[in-house]
Coordinates of all heavy atoms in Angstrom, one line a residue:
D1 N 110.2 20.0 10.7 CA 111.1 19.1 10.0 C 111.3 17.9 10.8 O 111.8 17.9 11.9 CB 112.4 19.9 9.8 CG 113.4 19.1 9.0 OD1 113.1 18.0 8.5 OD2 114.6 19.5 8.9
Y2 N 110.9 16.7 10.3 CA 110.8 15.5 11.2 C 111.3 14.3 10.4 O 110.7 13.9 9.3 CB 109.3 15.3 11.6 CG 109.0 14.1 12.5 CD1 109.8 13.8 13.6 CD2 107.9 13.4 12.3 CE1 109.5 12.7 14.4 CE2 107.5 12.3 13.1 CZ 108.3 12.0 14.2 OH 108.0 11.0 15.0
G3 N 112.3 13.7 10.8 CA 112.9 12.5 10.2 C 112.4 11.2 10.8 O 112.8 10.1 10.3
G4 N 111.5 11.3 11.8 CA 111.1 10.1 12.5 C 109.7 9.6 12.3 O 109.1 8.9 13.1
A5 N 109.0 10.1 11.3 CA 107.7 9.6 11.0 C 107.7 8.1 10.7 O 108.7 7.6 10.1 CB 107.1 10.4 9.8
A6 N 106.7 7.4 11.1 CA 106.6 6.0 10.8 C 106.8 5.6 9.4 O 107.5 4.6 9.0 CB 105.3 5.4 11.4
E7 N 106.2 6.4 8.5 CA 106.3 6.2 7.1 C 107.7 6.3 6.5 O 108.1 5.8 5.4 CB 105.4 7.1 6.3 CG 103.9 6.8 6.5 CD 103.3 7.4 7.8 OE1 104.1 8.0 8.6 OE2 102.1 7.4 8.0
S8 N 108.6 7.0 7.3 CA 110.0 7.2 6.9 C 110.9 6.1 7.5 O 111.8 5.5 6.9 CB 110.5 8.6 7.3 OG 109.9 9.6 6.7
I9 N 110.6 5.8 8.8 CA 111.5 4.9 9.6 C 111.2 3.4 9.2 O 112.2 2.7 9.1 CB 111.2 5.1 11.1 CG1 111.7 6.5 11.5 CG2 111.9 4.0 11.9 CD1 113.2 6.7 11.5
L10 N 110.0 3.0 9.2 CA 109.7 1.6 9.2 C 109.9 0.8 7.9 O 110.3 -0.3 8.0 CB 108.3 1.4 9.7 CG 108.0 1.8 11.1 CD1 106.6 1.6 11.6 CD2 109.0 1.2 12.1
P11 N 109.6 1.4 6.7 CA 109.9 0.6 5.5 C 111.3 0.2 5.4 O 112.2 1.0 5.3 CB 109.5 1.6 4.4 CG 108.5 2.5 5.0 CD 109.0 2.7 6.4
G12 N 111.6 -1.1 5.5 CA 112.9 -1.7 5.3 C 113.8 -1.4 6.4 O 115.1 -1.6 6.3
F13 N 113.3 -1.1 7.6 CA 114.2 -0.8 8.8 C 115.0 -2.0 9.2 O 114.5 -3.1 9.4 CB 113.4 -0.3 10.0 CG 114.3 0.0 11.2 CD1 114.8 1.3 11.3 CD2 114.6 -0.9 12.2 CE1 115.6 1.6 12.3 CE2 115.3 -0.6 13.2 CZ 115.9 0.7 13.3
T14 N 116.3 -1.8 9.2 CA 117.2 -3.0 9.6 C 118.2 -2.6 10.7 O 119.0 -3.4 11.2 CB 118.0 -3.4 8.4 OG1 118.8 -2.3 7.9 CG2 117.1 -4.0 7.3
G15 N 118.1 -1.3 11.2 CA 119.0 -0.9 12.3 C 120.4 -0.6 11.6 O 120.5 0.1 10.7
G16 N 121.4 -1.3 12.1 CA 122.7 -1.1 11.5 C 123.6 -0.1 12.3 O 123.2 0.6 13.2
E17 N 124.8 0.1 11.8 CA 125.8 0.9 12.4 C 126.4 1.9 11.3 O 126.5 1.5 10.2 CB 126.9 0.1 13.1 CG 126.4 -0.8 14.2 CD 127.6 -1.6 14.8 OE1 128.7 -1.4 14.3 OE2 127.3 -2.3 15.8
D18 N 126.7 3.1 11.7 CA 127.3 4.1 10.8 C 128.4 4.8 11.6 O 128.4 4.9 12.8 CB 126.3 5.1 10.4 CG 125.2 4.6 9.5 OD1 125.6 3.9 8.5 OD2 124.1 4.8 9.8
T19 N 129.4 5.3 10.8 CA 130.4 6.2 11.4 C 130.5 7.5 10.6 O 130.5 7.4 9.3 CB 131.8 5.5 11.4 OG1 131.7 4.3 12.2 CG2 132.9 6.4 11.9
M20 N 130.4 8.6 11.2 CA 130.5 9.9 10.6 C 131.6 10.7 11.2 O 132.0 10.5 12.4 CB 129.2 10.6 10.7 CG 128.0 9.9 10.1 SD 126.4 10.7 10.4 CE 126.2 10.2 12.2
A21 N 132.2 11.6 10.4 CA 133.3 12.4 11.0 C 133.3 13.8 10.4 O 132.8 14.0 9.2 CB 134.7 11.8 10.7
T22 N 133.6 14.8 11.1 CA 133.8 16.2 10.7 C 135.0 16.8 11.4 O 134.9 16.9 12.7 CB 132.5 17.0 10.8 OG1 132.8 18.3 10.4 CG2 132.0 17.0 12.2
G23 N 136.0 17.1 10.7 CA 137.2 17.6 11.4 C 137.8 16.5 12.3 O 137.9 15.4 11.9
D24 N 138.1 16.9 13.6 CA 138.6 16.0 14.5 C 137.6 15.3 15.4 O 137.9 14.6 16.3 CB 139.7 16.7 15.4 CG 139.0 17.8 16.2 OD1 137.9 18.2 15.9 OD2 139.7 18.3 17.2
I25 N 136.3 15.4 15.0 CA 135.2 14.8 15.8 C 134.7 13.6 15.0 O 134.3 13.8 13.8 CB 134.1 15.7 16.1 CG1 134.6 16.9 16.9 CG2 133.0 15.0 16.9 CD1 133.6 17.9 17.3
T26 N 134.6 12.4 15.6 CA 134.0 11.2 15.0 C 132.8 10.8 15.8 O 132.9 10.8 17.0 CB 135.1 10.1 14.9 OG1 136.2 10.6 14.1 CG2 134.5 8.9 14.2
V27 N 131.8 10.3 15.2 CA 130.7 9.7 15.9 C 130.3 8.4 15.3 O 130.2 8.2 14.1 CB 129.4 10.7 15.9 CG1 129.0 11.0 14.4 CG2 128.3 10.1 16.7
E28 N 130.2 7.4 16.2 CA 129.7 6.1 15.8 C 128.3 5.9 16.3 O 128.0 6.3 17.5 CB 130.6 5.0 16.4 CG 132.1 5.1 16.0 CD 133.0 4.2 16.9 OE1 132.4 3.4 17.7 OE2 134.2 4.3 16.7
V29 N 127.4 5.4 15.5 CA 126.0 5.3 15.9 C 125.4 4.0 15.4 O 125.7 3.5 14.3 CB 125.2 6.5 15.2 CG1 125.3 6.5 13.7 CG2 123.7 6.4 15.6
S30 N 124.7 3.4 16.3 CA 123.9 2.2 16.0 C 122.5 2.4 16.4 O 122.2 3.1 17.3 CB 124.5 1.0 16.8 OG 124.4 1.1 18.2
R31 N 121.6 1.7 15.6 CA 120.2 2.0 15.8 C 119.4 0.7 16.0 O 119.7 -0.3 15.4 CB 119.6 2.7 14.6 CG 120.2 4.1 14.3 CD 119.7 4.7 13.1 NE 120.3 6.0 12.8 CZ 121.5 6.2 12.1 NH1 122.1 5.2 11.6 NH2 121.9 7.4 12.0
E32 N 118.4 0.8 16.8 CA 117.5 -0.4 17.0 C 116.0 0.2 17.2 O 115.8 1.4 17.5 CB 117.9 -1.2 18.3 CG 117.9 -0.4 19.6 CD 118.2 -1.2 20.8 OE1 117.6 -2.3 20.9 OE2 119.1 -0.8 21.6
Y33 N 115.1 -0.7 17.0 CA 113.7 -0.3 17.1 C 112.9 -1.0 18.1 O 113.0 -2.3 18.2 CB 113.0 -0.5 15.7 CG 111.6 0.2 15.7 CD1 111.5 1.6 15.4 CD2 110.4 -0.5 15.8 CE1 110.3 2.2 15.4 CE2 109.2 0.1 15.8 CZ 109.1 1.5 15.6 OH 107.9 2.1 15.6
D34 N 112.3 -0.3 19.1 CA 111.5 -0.9 20.2 C 110.1 -1.0 19.7 O 109.3 0.0 19.7 CB 111.7 0.1 21.4 CG 110.9 -0.4 22.6 OD1 110.0 -1.3 22.4 OD2 111.1 0.1 23.7
V35 N 109.7 -2.2 19.2 CA 108.4 -2.4 18.6 C 107.3 -2.1 19.6 O 106.3 -1.5 19.3 CB 108.3 -3.8 18.1 CG1 106.9 -4.1 17.6 CG2 109.3 -4.0 17.0
A36 N 107.4 -2.5 20.9 CA 106.3 -2.4 21.8 C 106.0 -1.0 22.2 O 104.9 -0.7 22.5 CB 106.7 -3.2 23.1
N37 N 107.0 -0.1 22.1 CA 106.8 1.3 22.4 C 106.9 2.3 21.3 O 106.8 3.5 21.5 CB 107.8 1.7 23.5 CG 107.6 0.9 24.8 OD1 106.6 1.1 25.5 ND2 108.5 0.1 25.2
S38 N 107.1 1.8 20.1 CA 107.2 2.6 18.9 C 108.3 3.7 19.0 O 108.1 4.9 18.9 CB 105.9 3.3 18.5 OG 104.9 2.3 18.2
L39 N 109.5 3.2 19.4 CA 110.6 4.0 19.6 C 111.8 3.6 18.7 O 112.1 2.4 18.6 CB 111.1 4.0 21.1 CG 110.1 4.4 22.1 CD1 110.6 4.1 23.5 CD2 109.8 5.9 22.0
Q40 N 112.5 4.6 18.2 CA 113.8 4.3 17.6 C 114.9 4.8 18.6 O 114.9 5.9 19.0 CB 114.0 5.0 16.3 CG 115.4 4.8 15.7 CD 115.7 5.5 14.4 OE1 115.3 5.0 13.3 NE2 116.3 6.7 14.4
L41 N 115.8 3.9 18.9 CA 116.9 4.2 19.8 C 118.2 4.3 19.0 O 118.6 3.3 18.3 CB 117.0 3.1 20.9 CG 116.0 3.1 22.0 CD1 114.7 2.7 21.6 CD2 116.5 2.2 23.2
S42 N 118.8 5.4 19.1 CA 120.1 5.7 18.4 C 121.2 5.8 19.5 O 121.1 6.8 20.3 CB 120.0 6.9 17.5 OG 119.0 6.8 16.5
H43 N 122.1 4.9 19.4 CA 123.2 4.9 20.4 C 124.4 5.6 19.8 O 125.0 5.1 18.8 CB 123.5 3.5 20.8 CG 122.3 2.7 21.3 ND1 121.7 2.9 22.5 CD2 121.6 1.7 20.7 CE1 120.7 2.0 22.6 NE2 120.6 1.3 21.5
Y44 N 124.9 6.7 20.4 CA 126.0 7.5 19.9 C 127.2 7.4 20.7 O 127.1 7.3 22.0 CB 125.6 9.0 19.8 CG 124.5 9.3 18.8 CD1 123.2 9.4 19.2 CD2 124.8 9.6 17.5 CE1 122.2 9.7 18.3 CE2 123.8 9.9 16.6 CZ 122.5 10.0 17.0 OH 121.5 10.3 16.1

C-alpha cells in the first residue's frame, strides 16, 4: 500500500498546508517537493 508513487504525487502537486485532529491531538502538516532528489518532504 503506497501513497507516494510518482503517478499519484506529481500530477497537480502544489504542496500546501493541512490541519488534522483526533480527540485532543492536533497535527499541522506542510509539504514540499525536492525535484533534484525526487523526494516529498512532509513537515509535521
Side-chain angles (χ1 to χ4, degrees):
D1 183 5
Y2 182 43
E7 290 84 351
S8 295
I9 292 291
L10 297 181
F13 182 85
T14 57
E17 300 179 356
D18 293 308
T19 299
M20 300 173 284
T22 177
D24 60 347
I25 301 178
T26 300
V27 59
E28 301 170 5
V29 57
S30 62
R31 300 177 180 87
E32 59 179 311
Y33 192 78
D34 180 344
V35 175
N37 295 294
S38 297
L39 300 171
Q40 178 181 277
L41 283 72
S42 297
H43 308 288
Y44 292 95

